[in-house]
Amino acid sequence: MRPDIHPVSRPVVFRDRAAGATFLTRSTASSTRTIEWTDGATYPLIDVEISSASHPFYTGTSRVMDTAGRVERFERRYGARAATARH
């Protein structure tokens, strides 16, 4: 690898705003906000809207999408316009 072309990777705390969970990991992201971690050290803090702690796929609360109903609703709304636009 060529020197001085890669961003610096350092420990960063990510906080999931939806679940309130915090994760200490390495990242190249930076932040002016900081948080004191359980080891007593202070790390940059980055708030995220969703993570594996709150995402329905990982928590097991995922919903089945009604794709057939969505297609029918789309056809009702835009089907007539699409047919007239083609002519």
Side-chain angles (χ1 to χ4, degrees):
M1 292 184 357
R2 293 184 359 202
D4 301 325
I5 64 168
H6 300 284
V8 177
S9 175
R10 62 190 169 288
V12 176
V13 174
F14 287 91
R15 179 172 50 194
D16 183 339
R17 295 180 61 167
T22 54
F23 305 93
L24 176 63
T25 187
R26 295 191 65 80
S27 177
T28 58
S30 61
S31 175
T32 57
R33 300 178 62 199
T34 60
I35 189 170
E36 186 173 330
W37 193 245
T38 56
D39 63 1
T42 302
Y43 299 105
L45 173 66
I46 299 176
D47 285 324
V48 293
E49 295 297 323
I50 195 162
S51 72
S52 61
S54 61
H55 193 280
F57 179 79
Y58 295 104
T59 60
T61 59
S62 61
R63 298 177 302 204
V64 175
M65 294 249 179
D66 179 18
T67 56
R70 289 180 181 216
V71 170
E72 291 168 1
R73 187 170 52 225
F74 178 84
E75 289 295 327
R76 276 196 312 259
R77 286 184 184 171
Y78 304 107
R81 287 188 222 167
T84 58
R86 284 185 231 149
H87 291 26

